[in-house]
């Protein structure tokens, strides 16, 4: 990759991350009546786990950019809410699997419905063609990132 390309790519990632948190991320921080009251990192963890169905605890920590200790505290709190459960790997004692409980599935489903409504509200003034193009571009970006 050329130096100019890498520099531009880096700048665009930072710009996107900043704008995402300012304009869209606020939907995910909206407080509602869904119980239990989970904080932002707890919700992020739940959605990563939901997407993966089942994930090794170490990999979850990498996805969330959390230290081992911080992740343990976070998962302990989610277990107390009965939203996740941990299981030791039967073949490798060093690995611990994390997955949602039935209550965790219900919680994330309820949150996702609320978030979808928030996304609709945020993008209501944007032309549908622009949204479709942006969706295609995001899919392409995800495909690229999955190649890394």
């Amino acid at each position: 990759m050329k130096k100019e390309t890498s520099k531009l790519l880096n700048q665009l990632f930072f710009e996107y991350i900043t704008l995402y948190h300012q304009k869209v991320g606020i939907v995910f921080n909206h407080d509602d009546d869904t119980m239990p009251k989970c904080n932002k990192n707890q919700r992020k963890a739940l959605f990563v786990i939901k997407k993966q169905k089942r994930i090794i605890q170490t990999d979850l920590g990498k996805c969330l950019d959390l230290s081992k200790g911080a992740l343990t505290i976070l998962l302990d709190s989610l277990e107390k809410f009965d939203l996740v459960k941990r299981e030791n790997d039967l073949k490798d004692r060093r690995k611990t699997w994390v997955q949602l409980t039935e209550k965790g599935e219900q919680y994330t489903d309820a949150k996702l419905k609320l978030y979808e409504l928030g996304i609709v509200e945020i993008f209501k003034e944007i032309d549908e063609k622009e949204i479709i193009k942006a969706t295609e571009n995001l899919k392409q970006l995800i495909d690229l990132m999955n190649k890394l």
Side-chain angles (χ1 to χ4, degrees):
M1 177 187 304
K2 294 181 181 178
K3 184 177 179 180
E4 302 84 34
T5 306
S6 65
K7 183 177 180 179
L8 178 60
L9 185 61
N10 190 46
Q11 289 171 344
L12 290 172
F13 273 130
F14 278 112
E15 186 174 349
Y16 174 78
I17 289 167
T18 301
L19 286 169
Y20 173 83
H21 286 288
Q22 287 175 351
K23 309 277 184 173
V24 180
I26 56 172
V27 168
F28 306 108
N29 296 327
H30 177 72
D31 197 15
D32 58 52
D33 295 331
T34 309
M35 295 301 283
K37 295 285 187 188
C38 290
N39 67 36
K40 181 172 53 173
N41 282 339
Q42 290 169 323
R43 290 190 306 268
K44 282 181 186 177
L46 291 170
F47 293 123
V48 170
I49 297 165
K50 183 171 186 66
K51 171 92 171 94
Q52 299 294 321
K53 306 283 189 239
R54 185 174 180 233
I55 188 169
I56 295 172
Q57 188 168 318
T58 318
D59 292 342
L60 179 60
K62 290 176 186 174
C63 289
L64 300 171
D65 194 25
L66 292 176
S67 68
K68 186 176 180 179
L71 181 65
T72 299
I73 291 167
L74 184 141
L75 289 173
D76 286 348
S77 67
L78 291 174
E79 274 187 325
K80 286 179 185 172
F81 288 146
D82 190 31
L83 297 174
V84 301
K85 62 181 177 180
R86 289 181 268 195
E87 295 175 350
N88 292 327
D89 187 283
L90 299 176
K91 296 179 183 175
D92 188 344
R93 295 182 331 172
R94 296 170 296 176
K95 293 181 181 177
T96 302
W97 290 95
V98 183
Q99 63 189 58
L100 296 179
T101 62
E102 186 176 330
K103 185 176 176 182
E105 288 285 349
Q106 293 168 355
Y107 179 89
T108 54
D109 288 345
K111 282 293 194 186
L112 284 172
K113 285 179 186 175
L114 289 171
Y115 296 160
E116 287 172 19
L117 292 172
I119 294 293
V120 168
E121 183 64 26
I122 287 173
F123 286 93
K124 71 182 178 188
E125 301 296 323
I126 307 296
D127 182 63
E128 185 73 18
K129 289 178 185 175
E130 285 185 80
I131 294 171
I132 291 169
K133 183 177 179 184
T135 302
E136 291 167 358
N137 289 337
L138 282 171
K139 286 179 184 177
Q140 186 179 9
L141 180 60
I142 289 168
D143 289 344
L144 179 68
M145 298 295 282
N146 279 323
K147 291 178 183 178
L148 300 178

